[in-house]
Amino acid sequence: MPRLRSIVLARPLRTGFLTTIGVLLAIAVGLAVSNLSTVFIYLLFAVFLALAIEPAVKWCSRRGISRPWAIVIVFVGVFVVLGAILGFAIPILVGQIALFATSVPTLIDDFSRSGLFHTLEGIFGPGLEGLLGDLQSFVADPANIAAIGGGALKVGVSVATGLSGAVIVIVLTLYFVASLPTIKSSMYRLAPARNRPRLSDMTEQITDAIGGYTAGMVTLAFFNAVFTGILYFALGLPFPPLMMAAAFLLTLIPLVGSVLFWAIGSILAVFASPVDALIFAAAYLVYMQLEAYVLTPRVMNRAVSIPGSLVVIGALVGGTLLGLLGALIAVPVTASILLIIKQIWIPQQDARV
């Protein structure tokens, strides 16, 4: 320590210069990472999709189809299914969104005449009626809705950015799927020869878990959407197709998504009919229990198995860092970390006596 202090005092100019260069280099690296964050998200999303598609490619390969043709068949199948779903759903959803925008003032007006509103007004005071009137005036003004979306120009730019990003992700996913065996073999060669079989086995377990988890989450989200559609149609609640789409997208988020959609679906139903909203809330709560204890174990039994608390923590951390993508990949990433801990770190600790 005294020697280091003497060097600093003897060469203050050189020390200050090198320190400044180090700080500037750190700032430059930070700015580069920040500017390339979108690229990193595209790469991460593409890798996740490639690992999710890999089990289907393996399934085709096990039936005597060469890997290139298996990739072509899987991608064509995915595009055909997505094209059919989007071609059927987009016109309906556009109409539902337009109907929702025009019907909200009427729903608010009907709710202000309901017995539930008068009960709430007796609890919270006359200010509730003024708040509801302000909300109705805000929603009825198209300029406010445009301002929320950032204006037509910003919406158009966002759509164009989203489409270009989707194309980039699709191209990267196709590349990763085609070169996945080469990437794996190259990664194995970075490890010592004695550890390569173990690394290969762990890698296959992780990729299989990600593929199984993705298929399981899509299946559970589909069940959620169907159940929501049945409830909304049976109870006569408004916008069933729109709520089915919302249920499918939100319930892709593990654990938190179902609770979030339950709150949104129940609140929207209150404006149409408080009694039907109560029925929906109760029925969806029952379904959430059925999904947690019956459907999820059956669908996910070959994918991942991690404690529920870690699922919630992983989803919160992933969502905070990377938004929806982070929440989606949080569970397989957590499962991968647990697998590494169980098969590498714990045995090393057990060997230390």
Side-chain angles (χ1 to χ4, degrees), residues 26-99:
I27 294 174
V29 172
L31 290 175
V33 172
S34 177
N35 292 331
L36 294 174
S37 59
T38 303
V39 177
F40 291 147
I41 290 176
Y42 287 162
L43 288 172
L44 188 59
F45 205 179
V47 170
F48 180 73
L49 290 178
L51 295 177
I53 292 173
E54 179 64 13
V57 175
K58 286 183 177 179
W59 184 86
C60 293
S61 299
R62 286 195 297 265
R63 278 149 183 80
I65 303 174
S66 63
R67 184 173 179 85
W69 279 111
I71 294 173
V72 171
I73 292 172
V74 171
F75 267 84
V76 169
V78 169
F79 282 128
V80 169
V81 172
L82 285 179
I85 293 174
L86 293 177
F88 173 76
I90 286 180
I92 297 176
L93 290 179
V94 170
Q96 287 282 293
I97 293 172
L99 180 63

Side-chain angles (χ1 to χ4, degrees), residues 237-288:
L237 295 172
F239 323 115
L242 182 61
M243 298 310 295
M244 289 177 66
F248 180 83
L249 294 175
L250 287 177
T251 53
L252 287 174
I253 304 173
L255 294 183
V256 181
S258 297
V259 178
L260 181 61
F261 175 74
W262 171 75
I264 294 175
S266 301
I267 292 173
L268 179 63
V270 165
F271 289 95
S273 171
V275 176
D276 291 339
L278 184 62
I279 295 174
F280 171 82
Y284 197 81
L285 274 177
V286 173
Y287 173 79
M288 287 170 61

